Amino acid sequence: MFNRFVIAAAMSALLSACGGGSSDKPLSDTQKNFEASALGSTYSEFDWELPSTNAAPVTGSNFFLASTYSVAASPSSGAIAYTRATLNLTQSMALPDASTRYVARALFAGKIYVLNNATKSVVSYSGNDVVVTDYASDGVTPVFSSVFDLWSEPVALSGITLNDAALRSFYGFARLNTPLNFDYTKTWLAGAAYVKRKTYTADDRLYVYDWSGNSVDANVVAYAGTETGNVPITVERCRVTAPLT
């Protein structure tokens, strides 16, 4: 495994805020803890597509990776781009194409924009919070902003990796009964830790879906039916809160 910070809890909620930071204002605990995770180090989020049984994973269809994030300087002096990298956690499987992972199409100002795991994200500070703004694939259009109003101090990890209670609580792969596919004997390296964070969206979000399910760009296929009502859309509204568990 790796000895950087692992996001083991991220509850979502919703609201409205944005903006940069000021180097004259003392950092909040949330901002200090964010910098402890991302400034001069990296934090990681797992992503996987694995068999639910002991069947051997197939490269090209299955994968197990960590997306790592960091910032080169404190956002207290102004907004700064996330540095994002991908770490392959397997010995035999290829990494997926980042531009096709988690494709989202947002209707923004009357136009469909595309976001994915390869598009730009920028970090800034607003009040006591950390704000992450996601840009469309054109690299210039800010589409979504997420506000982190809680970012915990690192909680140390030790012992056998996949036996760790925190890891098994949050990640399905750690609960799989797949001894043939995992090495359960690995231990966390010195300095390994996880953090808890809570976020809410800073805007209403209207997503557009490709009815064919085949495209990964803005050229979506519309619904071909004749119904005039109950058209399926997804809208995320503001000011809906969720507790951190």
Side-chain angles (χ1 to χ4, degrees):
M1 272 293 174
F2 44 89
N3 62 343
R4 298 305 188 187
F5 297 108
V6 176
I7 296 301
M11 297 300 298
S12 292
L14 303 139
L15 180 110
S16 167
C18 195
S22 170
S23 58
D24 298 328
K25 180 181 178 297
L27 297 183
S28 68
D29 288 343
T30 292
Q31 293 161 350
K32 290 177 182 177
N33 292 336
F34 166 76
E35 293 193 3
S37 300
L39 181 60
S41 186
T42 62
Y43 71 87
S44 305
E45 296 177 324
F46 294 129
D47 183 19
W48 70 91
E49 181 69 42
L50 295 170
S52 58
T53 67
N54 285 336
V58 178
T59 189
S61 298
N62 301 121
F63 59 86
F64 182 28
L65 61 86
S67 296
T68 63
Y69 302 86
S70 62
V71 290
S74 172
S76 61
S77 299
I80 186 166
Y82 254 136
T83 298
R84 180 188 288 143
T86 301
L87 176 64
N88 194 338
L89 299 179
T90 76
Q91 295 181 340
S92 61
M93 290 184 287
L95 293 171
D97 182 353
S99 66
T100 65
R101 292 293 298 164
Y102 303 117
V103 174
R105 301 173 186 85
L107 185 62
F108 180 73
K111 182 179 177 180
I112 299 175
Y113 290 91
V114 175
L115 302 88
N116 54 48
N117 266 17
T119 51
K120 181 176 74 172
S121 296
V122 170
V123 186
S124 60
Y125 289 161
S126 178
N128 294 324
D129 303 330
V130 176
V131 181
V132 177
T133 301
D134 296 318
Y135 283 71
S137 56
D138 61 10
V140 297
T141 305
V143 179
F144 296 149
S145 289
S146 300
V147 181
F148 293 87
D149 59 358
L150 184 148
W151 199 292
S152 77
E153 293 182 341
V155 180
L157 290 164
S158 61
I160 303 299
T161 304
L162 288 181
N163 285 348
D164 191 276
L167 190 68
R168 296 182 71 86
S169 295
F170 290 100
Y171 291 103
F173 69 82
R175 296 192 293 271
L176 292 176
N177 182 26
T178 54
L180 299 183
N181 293 333
F182 289 101
D183 183 351
Y184 286 92
T185 66
K186 299 296 184 182
T187 58
W188 293 102
L189 300 180
Y194 71 91
V195 300
K196 296 182 180 181
R197 59 183 188 172
K198 181 166 68 73
T199 183
Y200 57 89
T201 65
D203 32 49
D204 291 346
R205 300 183 179 186
L206 177 61
Y207 293 100
V208 179
Y209 290 93
D210 175 19
W211 200 259
S212 73
N214 296 322
S215 70
V216 293
D217 54 28
N219 298 311
V220 299
V221 176
Y223 177 60
T226 58
E227 293 86 348
T228 58
N230 299 322
V231 177
I233 62 171
T234 297
V235 181
E236 293 185 1
R237 300 297 302 176
C238 288
R239 299 185 184 276
V240 179
T241 59
L244 181 71
T245 56

